[in-house]
């Protein structure tokens, strides 16, 4: 096994104090233009899972709003408000 960057190879279980892993050398790769944003992950727009969660939340909110608006107390209040508004206009 060749020695990389002057460090001798370290066998698992025989790590120097303070070292948890072996050093990793990273090399840069030149990518075609526009690919770096795709690889890093652009934050523009939503993913399919975010659309699904948003749709479910919107449907749940619509169901709660429908139940509230169709309740007898709210219907009576809305009818009273409409009658008062029409009566004031006349």
């Amino acid at each position: 096994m060749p020695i990389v960057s002057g460090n001798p190879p370290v066998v698992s279980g025989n790590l120097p104090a303070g070292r948890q892993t072996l050093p990793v050398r990273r090399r840069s790769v030149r990518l075609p233009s526009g690919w770096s944003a795709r690889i890093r992950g652009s934050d523009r727009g939503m993913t399919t899972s975010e659309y699904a969660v948003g749709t479910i939340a919107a449907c749940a909110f619509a169901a709660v709003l429908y139940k509230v608006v169709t309740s007898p107390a709210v219907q009576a209040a809305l009818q009273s408000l409409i009658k008062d508004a029409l009566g004031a206009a006349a």
Side-chain angles (χ1 to χ4, degrees):
M1 177 187 264
I3 296 174
V4 178
S5 71
N7 295 330
V10 179
V11 179
S12 178
N14 193 16
L15 293 173
R19 294 288 302 265
Q20 297 296 323
T21 59
L22 294 173
V24 177
R25 294 188 91 188
R26 296 181 186 212
R27 47 180 224 195
S28 62
V29 177
R30 185 118 172 114
L31 298 173
S33 64
W35 281 36
S36 62
R38 287 183 220 151
I39 292 172
R40 277 189 320 235
S42 178
D43 284 339
R44 295 182 303 174
M46 292 193 304
T47 62
T48 304
S49 61
E50 290 170 332
Y51 276 115
V53 170
T55 302
I56 290 170
C59 290
F61 179 72
V64 169
L65 187 61
Y66 177 77
K67 283 292 192 181
V68 168
V69 170
T70 57
S71 69
V74 173
Q75 281 186 347
L78 287 174
Q79 285 177 352
S80 173
L81 182 68
I82 291 170
K83 284 181 183 176
D84 289 344
L86 291 175

